Amino acid sequence: MGRTGAGGSGEGARRGTRIDTGTDVVTTEAATADEGVASTRRPRAAALLGAGVQAARAAAGYLNAVLGGQDYARYVAHLRRTHPDRPIPTESDYWRERHAAAERNPGTRCC
């Protein structure tokens, strides 16, 4: 005699349980009496790939902030706000002047 699932649906019926893991929904299915073992559907590869892409973007954003990637945009905003009459330099001119100023004033560096 076979076992009945939830709700008395008879032999061969499966019951599913949804588990929310925060990033993906994993469905577990209780096996029928004939199979004897529960099976689990794994998270989709796209969800795992998305987590890797998100981690890479976070690392790139951190390195961009540490290396001064937003400095030019901040400088342009400063010029427009406090010195609207001055011409705005190109980004290459800004970095060239910034590196030249660092060479002229080595007191802020360790070497």
Side-chain angles (χ1 to χ4, degrees):
M1 182 165 216
R3 297 177 5 187
T4 59
S9 55
E11 281 191 51
R14 293 182 179 262
R15 335 174 243 170
T17 305
R18 291 175 51 105
I19 302 170
D20 188 2
T21 62
T23 57
D24 199 8
V25 174
V26 178
T27 303
T28 61
E29 297 173 348
T32 63
D34 296 333
E35 293 172 357
V37 178
S39 64
T40 302
R41 235 185 269 166
R42 298 195 185 273
R44 288 184 232 129
L48 294 174
L49 180 61
V53 169
Q54 185 178 5
R57 285 182 180 161
Y62 173 75
L63 287 174
N64 189 25
V66 168
L67 297 176
Q70 298 298 319
D71 290 351
Y72 175 71
R74 192 177 306 125
Y75 179 69
V76 169
H78 165 76
L79 281 180
R80 287 183 177 155
R81 187 176 55 251
T82 58
H83 308 287
D85 54 331
R86 280 192 187 171
I88 296 176
T90 64
E91 189 170 0
S92 61
D93 290 340
Y94 166 78
W95 287 108
R96 189 177 303 116
E97 176 56 34
R98 182 171 170 170
H99 291 302
E103 288 295 320
R104 287 191 305 269
N105 185 14
T108 60
R109 302 186 312 212
C110 65
C111 314

